[in-house]
């Protein structure tokens, strides 16, 4: 099997937990961490290396941002995180500057490399990375609403008492306040969700809970990292093992000239197909709302 190398830029709460999730699941032969805070990075690597004897024979070490350009997958999780009560857009100015310096230092990146943006606001920074790098858009995407979708499926699973794996429902649009569930296409083992006796009030409550969950976690403990790290590790597994799984990620929408989340087929080449779900009139409006919000943030 090919030796796979994953580099994580930003060894803070999110980056180091991604490394931990990758180690536990034996996803890559080599994991590299990069952080401008060298002491923090060293500490995380020493700590993570203690977990190695319980996992597969992965190699974990630090490197420079330049070296990260030669990896199979680059994950960017560097930058400012939300403070309690702050929305993701508030991070744009500070994080755009950080991402610019990282992307400039990364180049040239290998032809086959896949770049996953995690830093928020993830949709805008994914588009920014696509514009700055001379690299196929299908190989640059953001974690987007993958985490939000998992949150929604968890709530549906609890409500219906049916395993999440049998529930196909997606959160689309911005990884932010204008995200929305595509209820009209949601299915449980092929049965339309509308055939289950869930009231509009229950559906709205689940959508709101999904939208607000990150705020609540940040209010309680200052940061979110386990959920996003597990999602990013799952994205890496899908790519490395060429699983062709349908996964919602933030990707370029030519029609709107922005990045936002829809389900895609992911494999070793990155995004291999975009899946455009049929939307009802309300969902079409919600999508337009998300697009307009993202465009306004970009132009402001
Ligand atoms: P953190 O403060 O714990 O870590 C950020 C790290 O980035 C720090 O260690 C810092 O030294 C490093 N850094 C800053 N500039 C850098 C540079 N130029 N090169 C290398 N490293 C650099 O923050 P966190 O909680 O790990 O969050 C990181 C980012 O992930 C934030 O933007 C946060 O909003 C985002 N996030 C995204 C999601 C999602 O669903 N997409 C979920 C959670 C967090």
């Amino acid at each position: 099997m090919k030796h796979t190398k994953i580099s994580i830029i930003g060894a803070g709460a999110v980056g180091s937990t991604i490394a931990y999730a990758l180690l536990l699941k034996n996803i890559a032969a080599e994991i590299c961490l990069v952080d401008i805070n060298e002491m923090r990075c060293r500490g995380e690597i020493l700590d993570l290396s203690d977990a190695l004897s319980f996992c597969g024979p992965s190699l974990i070490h630090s490197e420079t941002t330049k070296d990260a350009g030669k990896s199979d997958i680059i994950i960017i999780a560097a930058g400012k995180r939300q403070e309690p009560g702050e929305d993701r857009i508030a991070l744009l100015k500070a994080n755009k500057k950080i991402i610019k310096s990282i992307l400039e230092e990364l180049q040239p990146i290998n032809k086959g490399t896949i770049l996953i943006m995690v830093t928020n606001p993830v949709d805008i920074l994914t588009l920014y990375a696509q514009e700055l790098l001379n690299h196929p858009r299908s190989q640059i995407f953001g974690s987007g609403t993958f985490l939000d979708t998992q949150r929604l499926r968890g709530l549906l699973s609890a409500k219906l008492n049916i395993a999440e794996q049998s529930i196909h429902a997606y959160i689309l649009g911005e990884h932010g306040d204008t995200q929305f569930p595509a209820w009209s296409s949601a299915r449980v083992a092929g049965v339309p969700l509308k055939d289950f006796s869930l009231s509009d009030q229950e559906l709205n409550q689940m959508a709101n809970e999904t939208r607000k969950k990150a705020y609540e976690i940040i209010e309680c403990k200052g940061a979110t990292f386990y959920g996003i790290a597990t999602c990013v590790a799952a994205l890496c597994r899908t790519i490395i093992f060429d699983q062709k799984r349908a996964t919602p990620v933030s990707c370029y929408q030519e029609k709107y000239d922005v990045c936002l989340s829809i389900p895609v087929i992911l494999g070793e080449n990155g995004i291999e197909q975009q899946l455009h779900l049929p939307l009802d009139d309300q969902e079409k409006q919600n999508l337009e709302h998300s697009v307009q919000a993202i465009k306004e943030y970009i132009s402001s």
Side-chain angles (χ1 to χ4, degrees):
M1 189 189 262
K2 186 179 156 239
H3 177 97
T4 46
K5 177 183 166 196
I6 300 181
S7 294
I8 305 167
I9 304 181
V14 173
S16 56
T17 314
I18 293 171
Y20 186 54
L22 290 170
L23 279 185
L24 288 182
K25 289 187 175 284
N26 286 322
I27 290 172
E30 189 177 350
I31 298 168
C32 302
L33 288 177
V34 186
D35 202 292
I36 43 165
N37 182 341
E38 287 176 15
M39 195 75 150
R40 165 91 192 243
C41 194
R42 181 171 160 70
E44 294 295 353
I45 287 168
L46 288 172
D47 198 5
L48 284 161
S49 68
D50 281 345
L52 278 179
S53 52
F54 299 96
C55 315
S58 301
L59 200 68
I60 180 153
H61 58 92
S62 66
E63 62 176 2
T64 63
T65 303
K66 187 105 200 138
D67 293 334
K70 293 169 191 64
S71 299
D72 298 293
I73 301 179
I74 304 167
I75 298 160
I76 302 188
K80 204 175 165 303
R81 61 155 86 130
Q82 290 163 263
E83 299 294 331
E86 192 176 45
D87 66 17
R88 296 174 179 96
I89 291 301
L91 307 172
L92 180 56
K93 202 169 163 204
N95 284 350
K96 194 171 171 188
K97 221 166 137 188
I98 291 171
I99 297 304
K100 182 172 192 279
S101 75
I102 291 171
L103 294 175
E104 284 170 354
E105 230 181 303
L106 262 181
Q107 299 187 70
I109 61 178
N110 277 4
K111 220 170 143 228
T113 297
I114 311 265
L115 188 145
I116 306 176
M117 183 65 68
V118 181
T119 303
N120 276 319
V122 70
D123 301 295
I124 300 176
L125 295 176
T126 302
L127 181 71
Y128 188 56
Q130 291 181 351
E131 287 170 348
L132 234 83
L133 296 174
N134 184 19
H135 206 61
R137 286 188 192 265
S138 56
Q139 289 172 222
I140 301 175
F141 57 87
S143 53
T145 61
F146 186 22
L147 173 58
D148 309 286
T149 294
Q150 292 308 117
R151 285 173 176 155
L152 180 73
R153 290 182 186 189
L155 292 172
L156 282 167
S157 166
K159 186 72 89 185
L160 301 171
N161 203 18
I162 295 175
E164 274 182 53
Q165 289 76 5
S166 302
I167 299 174
H168 298 275
Y170 292 95
I171 295 284
L172 306 182
E174 181 200 5
H175 172 61
D177 296 343
T178 67
Q179 63 176 241
F180 63 97
W183 291 129
S184 67
S185 58
R187 298 279 183 279
V188 179
V191 180
L193 186 68
K194 64 176 168 43
D195 292 357
F196 291 77
S197 51
L198 294 172
S199 66
D200 283 352
Q201 196 194 353
E202 284 174 303
L203 293 176
N204 288 339
Q205 200 179 340
M206 281 188 275
N208 280 333
E209 215 175 299
T210 300
R211 190 180 304 112
K212 292 191 177 142
K213 190 161 183 189
Y215 290 106
E216 191 182 351
I217 299 171
I218 291 167
E219 197 68 46
C220 294
K221 58 174 272 193
T224 69
F225 40 90
Y226 295 120
I228 184 61
T230 316
C231 286
V232 175
L235 292 174
C236 293
R237 190 180 45 203
T238 304
I239 295 164
I240 288 170
F241 297 106
D242 195 23
Q243 287 177 327
K244 321 275 191 207
R245 286 173 81 105
T247 315
V249 295
S250 184
C251 56
Y252 185 65
Q253 300 300 302
E254 208 170 335
K255 180 173 173 196
Y256 302 114
D257 192 30
V258 295
C259 286
L260 50 73
S261 288
I262 61 166
V264 303
I265 298 299
L266 267 192
E268 62 183 350
N269 302 313
I271 295 177
E272 301 188 355
Q273 282 182 58
Q274 291 195 359
L275 304 174
H276 294 275
L277 294 177
L279 302 179
D280 67 17
D281 288 347
Q282 181 59 56
E283 291 161 356
K284 282 181 192 156
Q285 269 183 36
N286 292 342
L287 183 65
E288 289 293 334
H289 181 217
S290 231
V291 170
Q292 287 319 319
I294 294 172
K295 283 188 179 240
E296 273 166 34
Y297 302 140
I298 294 173
S299 62
S300 69

